Amino acid sequence: MNATSRTRQAGFTLIELLVSVLILAFGLLGIGGMMGLTLRSNSSSYLKQLSVQSAYNIIDRMRANSQMAISGSYNVTNLVTSGAPTVPAAPSTNCATATCTPTQLAAYDTWYWLANDVAAQLPNGCASITTAASGSNTLVTVTVQWDDSPAQSQLGSAAAASAAVSGHANLSRFVTQTLL
């Protein structure tokens, strides 16, 4: 047999191998990007879940002490647009360990809610409660606000990183209303 008439050797060449590795690398980069997006979304979702639980916690407390809620004793706000919010001072009576009047309970509930449910669980967490007459009922509006920049900056979000550098928070807000 002639040497030129022999069949060529079958198999991968170096170029074919490099192309397949390049395709695999792009696929893995895409998967990594999707995982980063998922992590940021899960972190933001977790913070929103905490804000929802916090809002419904204070609404339940207000329903348990409805006369004080209707009279406006639960109206409170420490909402800010920049910087850290301030938490009001603790009330003189600790209603978790002592018997309280409805007025003392309203002061304790709002302090406990702002200090432990909102500020302690959410980054730069702040909130407000407003009540207004609505016919024969009272309309309660609960607003919970937090800085979502820490959740967005996980795995390097360019928008959140630039917001953190410029000092402008990525504020998120949950607002709910109910009738008492």
Side-chain angles (χ1 to χ4, degrees), residues 146-171:
W146 67 97
D147 181 5
D148 203 35
S149 297
Q152 293 300 317
S153 65
Q154 290 182 354
L155 294 180
S157 167
S162 66
V165 169
S166 68
H168 292 60
N170 183 6
L171 296 179

Side-chain angles (χ1 to χ4, degrees), residues 58-80:
I58 195 63
I59 290 171
D60 287 343
R61 289 174 181 258
M62 292 173 74
R63 286 193 174 128
N65 194 5
S66 61
Q67 288 306 314
M68 290 293 102
I70 290 170
S71 71
S73 295
Y74 279 84
N75 289 357
V76 66
T77 187
N78 73 341
L79 290 175
V80 296

Side-chain angles (χ1 to χ4, degrees), residues 87-108:
V87 177
S92 58
T93 306
N94 183 350
C95 295
T97 59
T99 304
C100 293
T101 66
T103 303
Q104 290 170 326
L105 183 60
Y108 177 80

Side-chain angles (χ1 to χ4, degrees), residues 20-139:
S20 63
V21 168
L22 184 66
I23 291 171
L24 179 65
F26 278 123
L28 291 175
L29 282 174
I31 290 171
M34 291 297 289
M35 289 180 70
L37 177 65
T38 301
L39 181 61
R40 284 191 300 275
S41 296
N42 284 342
S43 296
S44 288
S45 178
Y46 176 69
L47 292 176
K48 184 163 186 174
Q49 174 202 5
L50 289 176
S51 71
V52 169
Q53 288 175 341
S54 175
Y56 285 114
N57 180 16
I58 195 63
I59 290 171
D60 287 343
R61 289 174 181 258
M62 292 173 74
R63 286 193 174 128
N65 194 5
S66 61
Q67 288 306 314
M68 290 293 102
I70 290 170
S71 71
S73 295
Y74 279 84
N75 289 357
V76 66
T77 187
N78 73 341
L79 290 175
V80 296
T81 55
S82 64
T86 58
V87 177
S92 58
T93 306
N94 183 350
C95 295
T97 59
T99 304
C100 293
T101 66
T103 303
Q104 290 170 326
L105 183 60
Y108 177 80
D109 284 347
T110 55
W111 166 79
Y112 185 87
W113 179 64
L114 287 173
N116 295 305
D117 280 358
V118 177
Q121 293 184 12
L122 298 169
N124 284 336
C126 54
S128 74
I129 302 169
T130 58
T131 57
S134 177
S136 62
N137 296 315
T138 299
L139 178 67

